[in-house]
Amino acid sequence: MQTVGIGVSVPRKESQDKVTGIAKYNTDYLSPKLLYAWLVTSLYAHAEIKSIDTSEALQVSGVQAVITGNSYNLLCGSIIEDRPPLAKEKVRYFGEPLAVVIANREAEAKEAAGKVKVEYNPLPVVNSPSAALATGAPLLHEKLAFYKRVKPSEIFPLPGTNIAQHIKIRKGDLEKGWQQSEVIVESSFSLPQSNHIAMEPRNAIAEIKPDGKVIIHTSTQAPFDVQKMLSLYFKLDETQVIVHTPLVGGGFGGKTAVQLEIIAYLASQAVAGRPVKLVASREQDMTSSPGHLGLDAQVKVGATKAGIIKAMEITYQVDIGAYVDSGSQMTRAISADCTGPYKIDHVWCDAYSVYTNHTYVTAFRGFGRLSYVFAIERTLDKLAFALGMDPFELRLKNALTPDATTPTMVRLNKSNLGDLPACLTKIKDLINWDEGVRREIGPKVIAKGISCLWKTSSSPPNAGSGAIITINVDGTLNLNVGTVEIGSGSKTSLAQILAEKLKMDVSKINVVMEVNTEISPKHWKTVASMTNFMVGNAVLDAAEDLVHQLTNIAGIVLRCPPEVLEVGGGRVYLKEDPDIYIEIKEIGNGYQYPGGNSIGGQIIGRGNFIMQHIVNMDKDTGKGRLGPAWAVGAQAVEVAFDPVNYTYQILKAATVIDAGKVLNPKGARGVIIGGMCMGLGYGSREHCLYGAGGKRENPQLRTYHLMRFGENPTYLVDFVETPHIIAPYGLRGIAEHGIIGIPAALANALSAAAQVELNQTPLTPEAIWRAKKGVSQ
């Protein structure tokens, strides 16, 4: 019997529903009882709220209620509780939710929202990390010392400042490193905030039943977090909160934050528990809900004349916006991998989460890595130039290898690291690096840039996953897991893992797409490229349980010990004679003898997994371990640059990742290309543009530019496979990695082409012209 498991390109389980338009997303939910909410948001980035007048809004036909922050004494946050769900006393960023209008129809709610009158007293604005850290800067959070630290071992705020987090990495002896260095270079970098721009804006529906149960329908990557936080904030038993998540129309980390669910709950509470739908407009999704961090960085690196890096000193100032959310965790993740994937004995890094009057931030594809990698990889190119060395050779010479240690002193080996030199070797051929970094061909300059990357997860030490397998009467299987299908095809990959284990065709495995916290096995979050690792291990555990039960029952039926039996191809058969077997469908729900007696019953495979050997970082040195393993890779970009008008065309973008084991080749390639496209968009044009008063000046897709279809280059993707031995079939998480080094590789290519240091994004023709001419912004 043909079996299809891992290593084979199979269509995604949900693809037919998506391409035919019958797939159901959260906003497709309708009910005659449904009310609609619309946000009222701040027109100022920093201001006292003197008054909110809702009287005119309440007169609009169909309006049921208007709520404001004054009615609630609540602060939210998964790491530190610093954010009110609706602004109270003052606003801290342009677009911050102030009030919510609930009406019979969305148009009525929107009309009434325009009639809510807010009187402000404007305050001085902190518009950058450097301004926030300046002496005498206005404080965004005067009560920082009194906020509840939900995870006190993970966040270290400095009350009386705008610093919400300070992470220190201290490895080796920095002074010794400088003494060993013969060439030292320094650079400063500035990368702005950006937006996720998932096709489906964030949304939530909340209903409070008469018995007190809270039903949430939401487009989220973290349904169990939604359940946990709502129960915590509103003093409910977790079992009272039931969260439903169908297919999600893209997330990229932006839908890990718990925000609209809280506001929707408050809205339902205000209308006697009736269901209320809250859908962010595109502009609100870009300004009111959290985005991607900004970063200012200073990097100093020293090396021998032979190109061996000896020391690195780094300062990262992370623009987390007005509230922490996961900004402090991203700062921690950045600092843990602060040097990039290079062997450096002496490292000193200070990473700060800095409050500003910008939109607060949350997880974004790569969890902060693409920003810090930009700084490191640009500095390495500068070092290579100072040494007169090929940028490729510098990276190959210093690439991490087994038996080295990370900046947080984790001992590396082949399994937990992978093979970066192999990735570099492959990308050298893929991008035809020997052709030359810079070539003048007629009026154009053809240039190439390269970068390296690595990433581990930043999961809690107790992050876990579960899996349940049941057998249908026709012998097909049902797989129920708590991961959310956000577009990466993870549920198909999990079905492939199960198919491989049971030696059956993946088409015989049905995957439950919706997550329902009442019946789905718990999963930490669908983030960090950890789904296939965590849930995959739980699926294998459940499959082992299923096999154990099947062989026990089959052993009775076939009159043999279970140890001599094997499961595969929809059968339980004798290892030495596969022609002696029984079909799974005959015993999966109990077996009945010809005479009428029955044995067994429904077989349910149950499995779980929990993270192992995760160690919190030491407050003073940074020593610790945030994730189980790294995935390493190399990326390159080739451009054609016009030195007269400073325009350029991106010709090629290449990526080689050590994937451990590629489960679905076409799926993996598609995920990597999607990340590369996002990286090119971020590097070349995307940014949140804030005016002098902190007002967002490009909060819609007319002015926030994305990569257009015709602008995409030729994408080149290849893989190295170095197994991670504790992962299912040796796989490594790669869903985020396509984006991480691309902005840096683009900047390196353009810097070579224009022969100028390009140390900020976006890399527009105007920005290149300004750098070349020495014209400040």
Side-chain angles (χ1 to χ4, degrees):
M1 180 179 292
Q2 182 186 13
T3 62
V4 178
I6 64 170
V8 180
S9 297
V10 300
R12 293 182 182 179
K13 288 289 185 178
E14 78 282 11
S15 59
Q16 286 294 320
D17 286 351
K18 285 182 174 178
V19 298
T20 57
I22 66 171
K24 297 299 181 185
Y25 295 86
N26 200 52
T27 52
D28 293 324
Y29 175 88
L30 295 172
S31 166
K33 302 183 297 179
L34 199 58
L35 298 177
Y36 296 84
W38 196 267
L39 295 177
V40 179
T41 60
S42 173
L43 301 178
Y44 288 84
H46 200 198
E48 292 177 354
I49 303 170
K50 296 181 70 175
S51 66
I52 301 178
D53 183 356
T54 63
S55 57
E56 191 174 339
L58 287 166
Q59 300 305 311
V60 175
S61 174
V63 171
Q64 299 293 317
V66 182
I67 59 174
T68 68
N70 290 330
S71 302
Y72 309 98
N73 186 26
L74 174 63
L75 291 176
C76 304
S78 59
I79 307 298
I80 186 171
E81 293 181 353
D82 63 350
R83 175 175 55 87
L86 298 172
K88 186 176 182 179
E89 297 177 355
K90 74 173 185 175
V91 294
R92 294 181 173 89
Y93 68 95
F94 176 84
E96 182 169 5
L98 288 159
V100 181
V101 178
I102 305 104
N104 293 334
R105 295 189 299 125
E106 186 176 73
E108 294 167 339
K110 185 176 181 179
E111 178 189 351
K115 297 181 182 296
V116 174
K117 297 176 181 177
V118 184
E119 188 178 359
Y120 302 92
N121 178 29
L123 297 170
V125 170
V126 175
N127 220 11
S128 68
S130 59
L133 297 174
T135 302
L139 294 180
L140 269 70
H141 293 271
E142 300 88 345
K143 299 177 182 178
L144 181 57
F146 304 101
Y147 291 151
K148 178 183 176 183
R149 290 192 295 157
V150 181
K151 296 183 178 180
S153 64
E154 294 184 16
I155 187 164
F156 313 108
L158 300 180
T161 74
N162 287 314
I163 298 173
Q165 173 75 299
H166 179 201
I167 298 291
K168 293 182 283 187
I169 301 295
R170 305 290 186 259
K171 177 186 177 184
D173 184 337
L174 193 62
E175 287 306 313
K176 183 178 178 181
W178 296 134
Q179 292 169 9
Q180 295 173 343
S181 299
E182 298 169 290
V183 177
I184 297 174
V185 300
E186 299 182 63
S187 290
S188 296
F189 305 89
S190 180
L191 294 94
Q193 290 187 350
S194 65
N195 283 121
H196 298 80
I197 315 293
M199 283 197 290
E200 177 197 30
R202 282 163 274 208
N203 60 85
I205 303 166
E207 179 180 8
I208 305 171
K209 295 286 190 179
D211 63 0
K213 280 194 174 181
V214 178
I215 311 298
I216 304 291
H217 294 261
T218 177
S219 178
T220 180
Q221 295 172 242
F224 292 94
D225 256 18
V226 174
Q227 179 188 46
K228 178 182 177 181
M229 290 189 182
L230 285 176
S231 65
L232 177 68
Y233 298 146
F234 301 109
K235 296 178 173 55
L236 304 165
D237 291 335
E238 277 198 30
T239 54
Q240 280 184 268
V241 182
I242 301 168
V243 181
H244 297 262
T245 299
L247 295 172
V248 170
F252 312 119
K255 291 174 181 172
T256 60
V258 182
Q259 183 205 22
L260 296 189
E261 297 88 352
I262 299 168
I263 298 174
Y265 173 86
L266 294 174
S268 178
Q269 195 177 57
V271 290
R274 287 184 64 181
V276 177
K277 177 187 279 192
L278 174 58
V279 181
S281 68
R282 178 57 67 185
E283 185 166 323
Q284 290 168 348
D285 197 62
M286 295 174 70
T287 59
S288 302
S289 290
H292 170 228
L293 60 77
L295 179 69
D296 288 349
Q298 295 81 43
V299 181
K300 179 180 177 182
V301 60
T304 66
K305 289 181 180 178
I308 303 299
I309 299 174
K310 291 296 183 180
M312 188 174 284
E313 185 174 359
I314 315 161
T315 301
Y316 293 131
Q317 298 170 357
V318 182
D319 181 354
I320 64 168
Y323 302 105
V324 166
D325 195 71
S326 58
S328 65
Q329 291 174 299
M330 285 187 282
T331 303
R332 188 174 62 124
I334 286 171
S335 64
D337 290 346
C338 60
T339 60
Y342 302 108
K343 292 181 285 188
I344 306 174
D345 292 331
H346 309 291
V347 178
W348 185 295
C349 175
D350 287 282
Y352 301 91
S353 298
V354 184
Y355 284 124
T356 67
N357 290 120
H358 292 166
T359 306
Y360 74 102
V361 304
T362 194
F364 181 88
R365 200 170 191 170
F367 211 61
R369 268 74 169 194
L370 81 162
S371 300
Y372 98 81
V373 164
F374 185 96
I376 296 299
E377 295 296 325
R378 285 291 302 118
T379 303
L380 258 64
D381 257 37
K382 186 174 182 178
L383 177 62
F385 182 81
L387 291 167
M389 182 177 289
D390 185 324
F392 172 86
E393 295 300 330
L394 178 66
R395 287 169 172 84
L396 186 62
K397 189 182 289 272
N398 291 282
L400 273 173
T401 53
D403 296 326
T405 58
T406 72
T408 63
M409 299 302 294
V410 176
R411 178 65 60 183
L412 296 169
N413 56 54
K414 188 176 181 180
S415 171
N416 67 17
L417 175 64
D419 194 339
L420 180 57
C423 294
L424 281 164
T425 300
K426 275 199 172 186
I427 206 162
K428 185 179 184 181
D429 293 336
L430 205 59
I431 201 70
N432 195 11
W433 184 263
D434 288 338
E435 194 175 43
V437 173
R438 187 181 191 275
R439 296 173 294 139
E440 294 185 9
I441 301 178
K444 297 289 180 72
V445 176
I446 307 300
K448 297 173 184 177
I450 195 169
S451 67
C452 292
L453 63 100
W454 68 332
K455 182 187 180 298
T456 185
S457 73
S458 302
S459 54
N462 64 344
S465 306
I468 297 172
I469 306 167
T470 55
I471 303 172
N472 296 314
V473 293
D474 61 355
T476 59
L477 305 183
N478 301 315
L479 177 60
N480 186 4
V481 293
T483 186
V484 176
E485 183 51 72
I486 59 174
S488 63
S490 61
K491 294 208 171 183
T492 303
S493 297
L494 294 169
Q496 289 182 268
I497 289 171
L498 180 58
E500 183 76 15
K501 177 66 177 177
L502 298 181
K503 304 182 188 71
M504 66 187 300
D505 197 294
V506 73
S507 65
K508 304 295 185 183
I509 299 172
N510 310 303
V511 185
V512 180
M513 285 296 165
E514 178 179 295
V515 176
N516 177 346
T517 58
E518 196 170 33
I519 59 175
S520 299
K522 195 170 186 177
H523 173 52
W524 167 49
K525 297 178 189 177
T526 306
V527 296
S529 303
M530 281 287 101
T531 296
N532 287 342
F533 173 71
M534 294 179 63
V535 186
N537 271 319
V539 168
L540 289 179
D541 191 42
E544 289 281 3
D545 185 40
L546 192 81
V547 167
H548 175 73
Q549 295 179 65
L550 284 169
T551 54
N552 277 342
I553 295 298
I556 297 171
V557 176
L558 298 175
R559 297 182 176 87
C560 63
E563 293 80 13
V564 303
L565 296 173
E566 195 157 304
V567 176
R571 298 172 173 177
V572 183
Y573 56 86
L574 210 60
K575 291 178 184 178
E576 65 176 8
D577 187 356
D579 288 335
I580 300 175
Y581 66 87
I582 187 168
E583 300 279 353
I584 286 176
K585 63 183 178 182
E586 295 182 59
I587 57 175
N589 291 280
Y591 177 77
Q592 185 175 350
Y593 287 101
N597 294 329
S598 298
I599 59 171
Q602 184 180 20
I603 292 176
I604 303 173
R606 299 148 299 185
N608 60 69
F609 174 80
I610 194 165
M611 282 291 189
Q612 300 161 12
H613 306 122
I614 304 300
V615 180
N616 288 327
M617 292 169 64
D618 181 81
K619 183 179 184 296
D620 297 316
T621 66
K623 185 176 181 180
R625 180 173 185 156
L626 297 187
W630 286 261
V632 296
Q635 299 189 286
V637 172
E638 183 179 69
V639 299
F641 176 71
D642 185 333
V644 175
N645 59 23
Y646 299 92
T647 58
Y648 62 91
Q649 180 185 2
I650 304 169
L651 302 177
K652 297 176 183 176
T655 297
V656 178
I657 299 288
D658 191 335
K661 177 64 180 178
V662 179
L663 301 185
N664 187 326
K666 286 185 178 179
R669 186 175 184 275
V671 166
I672 295 296
I673 289 174
M676 294 164 75
C677 179
M678 287 184 72
L680 291 172
Y682 176 79
S684 65
R685 66 204 70 193
E686 291 186 51
H687 67 303
C688 295
L689 182 60
Y690 293 97
K695 180 180 179 180
R696 180 69 184 276
E697 295 185 345
N698 61 340
Q700 63 282 116
L701 294 180
R702 294 193 304 275
T703 51
Y704 185 96
H705 300 297
L706 301 170
M707 288 283 290
R708 296 180 176 88
F709 182 79
E711 295 173 312
N712 281 279
T714 299
Y715 290 109
L716 307 169
V717 179
D718 203 349
F719 298 98
V720 170
E721 293 187 326
T722 308
H724 177 208
I725 60 176
I726 65 170
Y729 301 106
L731 66 84
R732 298 177 191 274
I734 60 170
E736 300 164 276
H737 297 64
I739 192 174
I740 294 174
I742 286 291
L746 175 64
N748 285 337
L750 288 170
S751 294
Q755 296 181 310
V756 66
E757 294 290 329
L758 298 173
N759 290 346
Q760 62 185 50
T761 60
L763 296 163
T764 61
E766 180 183 348
I768 300 170
W769 173 82
R770 287 183 179 277
K772 189 71 174 176
K773 299 297 183 181
V775 178
S776 61
Q777 186 68 38

